[in-house]
Coordinates of all heavy atoms in Angstrom, one line a residue:
M231 N -4.0 28.2 6.0 CA -5.1 27.3 5.7 C -4.9 26.5 4.4 O -5.1 25.3 4.4 CB -6.4 28.1 5.6 CG -7.6 27.1 5.4 SD -9.1 28.1 5.1 CE -8.8 28.7 3.5
I232 N -4.4 27.2 3.4 CA -4.1 26.5 2.1 C -3.0 25.5 2.3 O -3.1 24.3 1.8 CB -3.8 27.5 1.0 CG1 -5.0 28.4 0.7 CG2 -3.2 26.8 -0.2 CD1 -4.7 29.6 -0.2
A233 N -2.0 25.9 3.0 CA -0.8 25.0 3.2 C -1.2 23.8 4.0 O -0.9 22.6 3.7 CB 0.3 25.7 3.9
D234 N -2.0 24.0 5.1 CA -2.5 22.9 5.9 C -3.4 21.9 5.1 O -3.3 20.7 5.2 CB -3.2 23.4 7.2 CG -2.2 24.1 8.1 OD1 -1.0 23.8 8.0 OD2 -2.7 24.8 9.0
T235 N -4.3 22.5 4.3 CA -5.2 21.7 3.5 C -4.5 20.8 2.5 O -4.7 19.6 2.4 CB -6.2 22.6 2.8 OG1 -6.9 23.3 3.8 CG2 -7.2 21.7 2.0
I236 N -3.6 21.5 1.8 CA -2.8 20.8 0.8 C -2.0 19.6 1.4 O -1.9 18.5 0.9 CB -1.9 21.7 0.0 CG1 -2.7 22.7 -0.9 CG2 -0.9 20.9 -0.9 CD1 -1.9 23.7 -1.6
S237 N -1.3 20.0 2.6 CA -0.5 19.0 3.3 C -1.3 17.8 3.6 O -0.9 16.6 3.5 CB 0.1 19.6 4.5 OG 0.9 18.7 5.2
Q238 N -2.6 18.0 4.1 CA -3.4 16.9 4.5 C -4.0 16.1 3.4 O -4.1 14.9 3.4 CB -4.5 17.4 5.4 CG -4.1 18.0 6.8 CD -5.2 18.7 7.5 OE1 -6.3 18.6 7.2 NE2 -4.8 19.4 8.6
E239 N -4.4 16.8 2.3 CA -5.1 16.2 1.2 C -4.2 15.5 0.3 O -4.6 14.6 -0.5 CB -5.9 17.3 0.4 CG -7.1 17.9 1.2 CD -8.1 16.8 1.6 OE1 -8.4 15.9 0.8 OE2 -8.7 17.0 2.7
M240 N -2.9 15.8 0.2 CA -2.0 15.2 -0.7 C -1.6 13.7 -0.3 O -1.2 12.9 -1.1 CB -0.7 16.0 -0.8 CG -0.8 17.2 -1.6 SD -0.9 16.8 -3.4 CE 0.8 16.4 -3.8
V241 N -1.8 13.4 1.0 CA -1.4 12.1 1.5 C -2.2 11.0 0.8 O -1.6 10.0 0.3 CB -1.6 12.0 3.0 CG1 -1.3 10.6 3.5 CG2 -0.7 13.0 3.7
R242 N -3.5 11.2 0.7 CA -4.4 10.1 0.2 C -4.1 9.8 -1.3 O -3.9 8.7 -1.7 CB -5.8 10.5 0.4 CG -6.8 9.4 0.0 CD -8.2 9.6 0.5 NE -9.1 8.6 0.1 CZ -9.8 8.5 -1.1 NH1 -9.6 9.5 -2.0 NH2 -10.6 7.5 -1.3
P243 N -4.1 10.9 -2.2 CA -3.8 10.5 -3.6 C -2.5 10.0 -3.9 O -2.3 9.1 -4.7 CB -4.0 11.9 -4.3 CG -3.9 12.9 -3.3 CD -4.4 12.3 -2.0
L244 N -1.4 10.4 -3.1 CA -0.1 9.9 -3.3 C -0.1 8.4 -2.9 O 0.5 7.6 -3.5 CB 0.9 10.7 -2.5 CG 1.3 12.1 -3.1 CD1 2.2 12.8 -2.1 CD2 1.9 11.9 -4.4
S245 N -0.8 8.1 -1.8 CA -0.8 6.7 -1.3 C -1.6 5.8 -2.3 O -1.2 4.7 -2.6 CB -1.5 6.6 0.1 OG -0.8 7.4 1.0
L246 N -2.7 6.4 -2.9 CA -3.4 5.6 -3.9 C -2.6 5.3 -5.1 O -2.7 4.2 -5.6 CB -4.7 6.4 -4.2 CG -5.8 6.4 -3.2 CD1 -7.0 7.3 -3.6 CD2 -6.4 4.9 -3.0
L247 N -1.9 6.3 -5.6 CA -1.0 6.1 -6.7 C 0.0 5.0 -6.4 O 0.2 4.1 -7.3 CB -0.3 7.4 -7.1 CG -1.0 8.4 -7.9 CD1 -0.2 9.7 -7.9 CD2 -1.3 7.9 -9.3
A248 N 0.6 5.0 -5.3 CA 1.6 4.0 -4.9 C 1.0 2.6 -4.8 O 1.6 1.7 -5.4 CB 2.3 4.4 -3.6
M249 N -0.1 2.5 -4.2 CA -0.8 1.2 -4.0 C -1.2 0.6 -5.3 O -1.0 -0.5 -5.6 CB -1.9 1.3 -3.0 CG -1.5 1.5 -1.6 SD -2.9 1.4 -0.4 CE -3.9 2.8 -0.9
N250 N -1.9 1.5 -6.2 CA -2.4 1.0 -7.5 C -1.3 0.6 -8.4 O -1.4 -0.3 -9.2 CB -3.3 2.1 -8.1 CG -4.6 2.2 -7.4 OD1 -5.1 1.3 -6.7 ND2 -5.2 3.4 -7.5
Q251 N -0.2 1.4 -8.4 CA 1.0 1.1 -9.2 C 1.6 -0.3 -8.8 O 1.9 -1.1 -9.7 CB 2.0 2.2 -9.1 CG 3.2 2.1 -10.1 CD 4.3 1.2 -9.6 OE1 4.4 0.8 -8.5 NE2 5.2 0.8 -10.6
S252 N 1.7 -0.5 -7.5 CA 2.2 -1.8 -7.0 C 1.3 -2.9 -7.4 O 1.8 -4.0 -7.8 CB 2.4 -1.7 -5.5 OG 2.9 -2.9 -4.9
Y253 N 0.0 -2.7 -7.3 CA -1.0 -3.8 -7.6 C -0.9 -4.1 -9.1 O -0.8 -5.3 -9.4 CB -2.4 -3.3 -7.3 CG -3.5 -4.2 -7.8 CD1 -3.8 -5.4 -7.3 CD2 -4.2 -3.8 -9.0 CE1 -4.7 -6.3 -7.8 CE2 -5.1 -4.6 -9.5 CZ -5.4 -5.9 -9.0 OH -6.3 -6.7 -9.5
L254 N -0.9 -3.1 -9.9 CA -0.8 -3.4 -11.4 C 0.5 -4.0 -11.8 O 0.5 -4.9 -12.7 CB -1.0 -2.0 -12.1 CG -2.4 -1.4 -12.1 CD1 -2.4 -0.1 -12.7 CD2 -3.4 -2.4 -12.8
W255 N 1.6 -3.6 -11.1 CA 2.9 -4.2 -11.4 C 2.8 -5.7 -11.2 O 3.3 -6.5 -12.0 CB 3.9 -3.6 -10.5 CG 5.3 -4.1 -10.8 CD1 6.0 -5.1 -10.3 CD2 6.3 -3.5 -11.7 NE1 7.2 -5.3 -10.8 CE2 7.4 -4.3 -11.7 CE3 6.2 -2.4 -12.6 CZ2 8.6 -4.0 -12.5 CZ3 7.3 -2.1 -13.3 CH2 8.5 -2.8 -13.3
T256 N 2.2 -6.1 -10.1 CA 2.1 -7.6 -9.7 C 1.0 -8.2 -10.6 O 1.3 -9.3 -11.2 CB 1.7 -7.7 -8.3 OG1 2.7 -7.1 -7.4 CG2 1.6 -9.2 -7.9
H257 N -0.1 -7.6 -10.8 CA -1.3 -8.2 -11.5 C -0.9 -8.4 -13.0 O -1.3 -9.4 -13.6 CB -2.5 -7.3 -11.4 CG -3.7 -7.9 -12.1 ND1 -4.4 -8.9 -11.6 CD2 -4.3 -7.5 -13.3 CE1 -5.4 -9.2 -12.5 NE2 -5.4 -8.3 -13.5
L258 N -0.1 -7.5 -13.6 CA 0.3 -7.6 -15.0 C 1.6 -8.4 -15.2 O 2.1 -8.4 -16.3 CB 0.4 -6.2 -15.6 CG -0.9 -5.4 -15.6 CD1 -0.7 -4.0 -16.1 CD2 -2.0 -6.1 -16.4
G259 N 2.1 -9.0 -14.1 CA 3.2 -9.9 -14.2 C 4.5 -9.2 -14.7 O 5.3 -9.7 -15.4
C260 N 4.7 -8.0 -14.1 CA 5.9 -7.2 -14.6 C 7.2 -7.8 -14.0 O 8.3 -7.4 -14.5 CB 5.8 -5.8 -14.2 SG 4.5 -4.9 -15.1
N261 N 7.1 -8.7 -13.1 CA 8.3 -9.4 -12.5 C 8.7 -10.6 -13.3 O 9.7 -11.2 -13.1 CB 8.2 -9.7 -11.1 CG 8.2 -8.5 -10.2 OD1 8.9 -7.5 -10.4 ND2 7.3 -8.5 -9.1
E262 N 7.8 -11.0 -14.3 CA 8.1 -12.2 -15.1 C 9.1 -11.9 -16.2 O 9.2 -10.8 -16.6 CB 6.8 -12.7 -15.7 CG 5.7 -13.0 -14.7 CD 6.1 -14.1 -13.8 OE1 6.8 -15.1 -14.2 OE2 5.7 -14.1 -12.6
P263 N 9.9 -12.9 -16.6 CA 10.9 -12.8 -17.6 C 10.3 -12.2 -18.9 O 11.0 -11.5 -19.7 CB 11.5 -14.2 -17.8 CG 11.2 -14.9 -16.5 CD 9.8 -14.3 -16.0
N264 N 9.1 -12.6 -19.3 CA 8.5 -12.3 -20.5 C 7.5 -11.1 -20.4 O 6.6 -10.9 -21.2 CB 7.7 -13.4 -21.2 CG 6.6 -13.9 -20.3 OD1 6.6 -13.6 -19.1 ND2 5.7 -14.7 -20.8

Side-chain angles (χ1 to χ4, degrees):
M231 182 186 71
I232 292 170
D234 290 342
T235 301
I236 292 175
S237 180
Q238 294 171 11
E239 294 298 324
M240 283 290 284
V241 174
R242 186 170 181 272
L244 286 174
S245 298
L246 285 173
L247 279 172
M249 288 189 296
N250 288 336
Q251 190 273 347
S252 178
Y253 168 76
L254 289 173
W255 184 272
T256 302
H257 182 72
L258 297 175
C260 292
N261 289 322
E262 301 298 325
N264 60 344

